[in-house]
Structures are given as C-alpha cells and as structure tokens.
Amino acid sequence: GIASYDDCLRGRVFAPEGLLKLVFRKNDGVIIGVHIIGTDACEMVHYGMDLVHKGSTIFDVMTTLFTAVTFHELFRAAALDGNSKLEFGLEWRAVLKDMQMDWTMASQDFDMDEVKRKFDEIDDDDSGVLDSQELGVFFERIGRPMKKATVANLVRLADSDGNGTIDWEEFSRIFKTIVAMEPETGVSEQEDVFAKADAEVREMVNS
C-alpha cells in the first residue's frame, strides 16, 4: 500500500514531496516492512518498526484514528490503498473469520468437484446461482452449517449485481480462500509471528 505525502493535510501544507509504503502479506494483511522517503521519515519509521514487531495488519491500521495534521495519517492512507488492491479486503475479513470459526477447520482437504456437485444439487432451477437460504442448505449438506447472519453477509458482499444471489465462480473463490486461511494466532505464538515476519523482510532485502 502506498501513500504520497500530499495524501495527508500536513503533507499538502508543509511538505508535499515524499512517500510511505507498507509491505504486507496478501493472505492475512500482516505488515512485514515499511518504506518512508521524505520529511520526518527518521521519526515515523519507529512507528512502522513497532507495527512490524507487533505483527499488526493493514486492517488494524485502517481502523486506527491518528492525530490530525501529523504525517502519521499516511500510515492509514497507505493501508487503505493496500486494502483496495485485495480481492477480499477489510469488509470481507469479519465474514471470512466468522466462516472459519463456524467451520472450526484444521487444514482439511476439500474436493472441489464434490463441492461443485453439491452446489448444483441445490440449484434446482439450473440458474447457476444460490440465494442465502439455498446457500445455508449447501453448507449444511457439506457438514459445515453456518449462522444465518454469516450467510446473509456473504451473499451481500459477493452479490455484485444486487439480485440477492451468488454464482459458482464467485463462491468457489471465496470457498478456496476460507480453506486456505490459517487459524488465528494465539498470544503464545507471537514470537513465531515475529520471526516469520523478520525472515520475510530479510528475504525481500536480500533479493
């Protein structure tokens, strides 16, 4: 995610020339690096270092309120820019997390051909789409019942044309994303997160 200095009020008024970039993992948004070029970069980089050390995500930064008329607003601007480039951004995170929690998955394998067959079975009118009620039945048939609110939110976000349904192509991408998601990291595993992030930064620097 990238933000130009003129993306914040202080930059527009005092120092419009500069750049802040957040490097993050696409699968979970964890920040693994920060690049800053411009006024007060030597001061702001410490906050960036803290984000990396804590394993913070761009979603954390997006929902952080920064003091007005400071360059730190650039961190949020860069996080928003990064989020806009993701297929499943901030608004999707809560739904994906709910789905993962409901399923209580542990690296389980799914046969997508079988999943597609179940999808088609419920699609009685051969329209190629399912509404929220039908989608709820689908999850029950594959042994992963979902809360009605979660299914409704899933359809709402995926429904690009506003007809209240979701087609197989869109659903299959979401399904694969859920299966690929890793369980939430506990406090006892924080050191592993830091080590992994540090290794990724080193690899980027050396490449």
Side-chain angles (χ1 to χ4, degrees):
I2 299 174
S4 171
Y5 265 47
D6 59 8
D7 286 335
C8 73
L9 180 59
R10 186 178 182 85
R12 287 193 293 272
V13 174
F14 298 107
E17 300 297 326
L19 179 75
L20 185 148
K21 179 167 69 173
L22 296 178
V23 182
F24 60 92
R25 296 198 300 248
K26 287 185 177 181
N27 64 320
D28 56 12
V30 171
I31 298 169
I32 59 174
V34 179
H35 302 168
I36 309 175
I37 302 174
T39 302
D40 288 349
C42 60
E43 302 293 336
M44 291 193 294
V45 73
H46 296 292
Y47 176 65
M49 291 167 59
D50 189 55
L51 291 176
V52 173
H53 178 67
K54 290 180 177 179
S56 300
T57 69
I58 61 169
F59 312 117
D60 297 327
V61 177
M62 286 171 60
T63 54
T64 298
L65 180 63
F66 294 96
T67 305
V69 200
T70 67
F71 285 124
H72 283 75
E73 291 179 292
L74 294 172
F75 283 95
R76 184 169 184 271
L80 287 167
D81 179 65
N83 179 72
S84 70
K85 299 172 182 177
L86 294 176
E87 181 177 16
F88 300 108
L90 178 63
E91 196 172 9
W92 275 97
R93 305 311 292 186
V95 174
L96 297 178
K97 182 179 177 181
D98 284 346
M99 291 179 71
Q100 185 190 35
M101 289 176 63
D102 285 351
W103 291 10
T104 58
M105 283 201 259
S107 301
Q108 301 181 43
D109 294 326
F110 285 87
D111 182 347
M112 291 305 293
D113 290 334
E114 178 64 17
V115 172
K116 178 64 165 62
R117 188 179 67 79
K118 294 285 188 184
F119 189 96
D120 291 338
E121 281 180 1
I122 299 171
D123 180 23
D124 295 329
D125 57 1
D126 294 323
S127 62
V129 298
L130 300 180
D131 59 25
S132 59
Q133 185 175 354
E134 291 172 326
L135 202 56
V137 174
F138 165 82
F139 286 123
E140 290 178 2
R141 290 195 182 178
I142 66 170
R144 300 297 177 194
M146 303 285 295
K147 298 184 183 71
K148 289 184 178 180
T150 301
V151 176
N153 279 330
L154 172 63
V155 173
R156 176 180 62 83
L157 290 174
D159 180 20
S160 58
D161 56 9
N163 63 358
T165 61
I166 181 172
D167 62 33
W168 167 251
E169 182 179 353
E170 184 67 38
F171 177 74
S172 63
R173 293 204 306 271
I174 298 168
F175 192 94
K176 290 174 182 176
T177 299
I178 296 300
V179 173
M181 285 178 68
E182 298 177 357
E184 290 239 335
T185 303
V187 175
S188 62
E189 298 174 319
Q190 280 188 333
E191 291 185 2
D192 290 338
V193 173
F194 300 153
K196 185 176 181 180
D198 183 62
E200 290 181 6
V201 173
R202 292 177 184 276
E203 182 178 349
M204 291 174 57
V205 172
N206 294 328
S207 61

